Amino acid sequence: LAQLTIPSRFYTDEKHFEFDKKQIFYKSWQFVGHISQVANAGDYFTTKVADENILIAKGEDGEIRAFFNVCQHRAHAVATGAGNRKLFVCHYHAWSYRLNGQLLRAPQAENVEGFCKGDIKLREIKLETMLGLIFVNLDDNAVSLKDTYPGLEAGVLSTRAGIEKMKVAFERDIEHNCNWKVSVENLNECYHCDSVHATSITQLYETDSYSCDIYGNFLRHFIARKHDRELHGDLHSWFIWPNNVVEVFPIHGAVSLRRVVPLGPNRSKYYYSWWVPESLSGEALQEVVALGTDYCNTVCQEDTVVVGCVQRGLESIGFDRGPLIVSTQAGAQSENAIAHFQSLYANALEAAGVDI
Ligand code: FES
Ligand SMILES: [Fe+2]
């Protein structure tokens, strides 16, 4: 019997969305940025993990730290946007925090008996870096990044040495009118490429060359580019559970980084970006920017339309589960990676005692 997809209620209900947020996004390693965004002491940026506001900052000691972006006085945010600061000063009552999260000053606190500044810190979050990417995990007891994805770092480095030293060339946030799992599943199969991307992707790749290697919490898609294989090499797309992609692209050392951010049961944000080696400039850089822009306006646009339509179908009483095309013979047209993603999702459900 063919493997069936996860029942549609897991893609549509508020209850299951809460499950995904708390049991998956608050407990998994989330790619939130690149080390180039915090190159110097005092550099910071704000971001989100699901609905949690997060602050990433580089301290005077050179360490990159992550905090909940919540003042420990009465819960206002302590930072917005990105930039460089010596201190984070909360806009509400002007409490100030050092770059390491320690409270430095709270107006009038000296007049409060027993007020101990030294006890107050921004709540810190686990942060680790790999391949120049910054990952955070809201679970204090999480297994380390390296142990969660053993072999990932070496695998990516074998396809692109020196990947840590990059700068952003192109980035865009794309709204998807669907559950985050629909977005993730869509980017994990090329079964739809012939029909959805007939004039884009299928023109560029040798679909016969496709393979997919599964390694527990991550997997790799491989495909060869047509025509310019010798010049530019192949494409290796690494999917990192639950929602991140590092795509080593065969042009001018470019890498495409993506992540799917859950916004609601039927809404997600697809962060789509292209990165290049720090030293890339001039025409080569322009070529990558043009390619990223072109992909965004064609492939991403085509995907945005289908994922929205799938979500409406999942919300229909006319659908619950369907069979996946899981076959080693199917090549680029297989849904093996989706089957794997869904088995990881089923494991998360099982660990939390939820029945499918
Ligand atoms: S909430 Fe930040 S200073 Fe009061
Ligand atoms: Fe697609």
Side-chain angles (χ1 to χ4, degrees):
L1 273 183
Q3 180 172 334
L4 293 179
T5 55
I6 292 165
S8 58
R9 67 181 185 282
F10 288 91
Y11 296 78
T12 58
D13 289 3
E14 191 68 48
K15 182 178 86 181
H16 291 110
F17 180 68
E18 283 299 305
F19 170 88
D20 288 3
K21 229 168 54 179
K22 295 193 173 120
Q23 299 299 323
I24 296 178
F25 283 86
Y26 292 180
K27 292 188 174 184
S28 57
W29 286 99
Q30 290 293 312
F31 153 57
V32 290
H34 189 265
I35 52 172
S36 61
Q37 293 170 263
V38 281
N40 303 305
D43 285 353
Y44 80 96
F45 62 92
T46 55
T47 185
K48 278 183 170 234
V49 168
D51 50 1
E52 289 288 347
N53 289 315
I54 310 291
L55 166 64
I56 310 288
K58 188 169 212 166
E60 302 290 354
D61 56 0
E63 194 170 322
I64 304 170
R65 297 182 180 84
F67 306 99
F68 287 98
N69 186 5
V70 184
C71 179
Q72 296 298 303
H73 175 220
R74 280 175 43 222
H76 194 278
V78 294
T80 53
N84 185 282
R85 295 267 184 284
K86 292 219 168 344
L87 297 169
F88 293 108
V89 182
C90 177
H91 179 61
Y92 203 1
H93 313 95
W95 282 26
S96 55
Y97 296 86
R98 292 186 194 277
L99 298 170
N100 65 4
Q102 184 64 54
L103 179 66
L104 178 69
R105 191 169 165 269
Q108 300 300 333
E110 61 277 14
N111 295 322
V112 177
E113 204 176 323
F115 189 100
C116 183
K117 272 191 317 198
D119 289 348
I120 299 175
K121 283 193 79 180
L122 295 176
R123 269 209 45 207
E124 197 164 346
I125 297 165
K126 264 180 179 272
L127 180 150
E128 291 184 37
T129 62
M130 180 188 281
L131 303 163
L133 311 181
I134 300 171
F135 287 84
V136 299
N137 196 318
L138 306 196
D139 180 1
D140 290 338
N141 301 313
V143 173
S144 75
L145 185 63
K146 282 199 167 69
D147 287 342
T148 305
Y149 308 107
L152 173 63
E153 187 172 32
V156 176
L157 285 172
S158 74
T159 54
R160 176 67 47 76
I163 198 171
E164 302 87 350
K165 294 192 168 39
M166 293 196 297
K167 61 182 178 186
V168 69
F170 173 87
E171 60 188 338
R172 203 175 282 178
D173 284 335
I174 303 166
E175 293 277 330
H176 277 181
N177 290 321
C178 65
N179 186 272
W180 70 276
K181 298 189 288 298
V182 175
S183 305
V184 166
E185 288 167 358
N186 179 66
L187 59 81
N188 263 307
E189 52 95 349
C190 211
Y191 188 27
H192 70 270
C193 291
D194 281 350
S195 42
V196 177
H197 306 302
T199 55
S200 48
I201 287 180
T202 48
Q203 302 299 310
L204 297 174
Y205 297 102
E206 292 170 10
T207 46
D208 289 350
S209 68
Y210 173 85
S211 66
C212 176
D213 299 316
I214 290 171
Y215 308 94
N217 285 323
F218 66 96
L219 56 84
R220 180 184 69 148
H221 301 274
F222 165 89
I223 200 159
R225 291 253 307 179
K226 280 181 183 165
H227 314 307
D228 53 3
R229 191 171 183 182
E230 269 170 33
L231 190 62
H232 294 306
D234 304 316
L235 183 141
H236 304 264
S237 182
W238 303 82
F239 170 70
I240 306 167
W241 162 265
N243 62 327
N244 305 305
V245 174
V246 175
E247 193 158 285
V248 176
F249 208 84
I251 285 182
H252 300 309
V255 173
S256 174
L257 302 177
R258 299 139 193 214
R259 67 174 170 144
V260 178
V261 182
L263 298 178
N266 55 12
R267 280 178 58 229
S268 61
K269 193 176 75 178
Y270 183 41
Y271 167 75
Y272 180 79
S273 66
W274 284 70
W275 296 71
V276 290
E278 272 172 1
S279 57
L280 197 76
S281 61
E283 263 179 40
L285 176 60
Q286 285 320 309
E287 207 180 314
V288 175
V289 173
L291 189 69
T293 309
D294 187 46
Y295 257 70
C296 204
N297 294 339
T298 57
V299 179
C300 295
Q301 186 50 37
E302 289 156 0
D303 283 328
T304 299
V305 174
V306 291
V307 294
C309 187
V310 166
Q311 184 68 28
R312 290 192 292 280
L314 289 165
E315 286 165 4
S316 164
I317 54 172
F319 184 85
D320 185 29
R321 311 178 77 169
L324 288 170
I325 301 299
V326 181
S327 160
T328 49
Q329 314 297 306
Q333 305 214 313
S334 82
E335 294 179 302
N336 294 33
I338 295 190
H340 186 64
F341 169 75
Q342 297 208 351
S343 72
L344 292 174
Y345 186 75
N347 291 348
L349 292 173
E350 198 184 317
V354 180
D355 288 333
I356 287 194

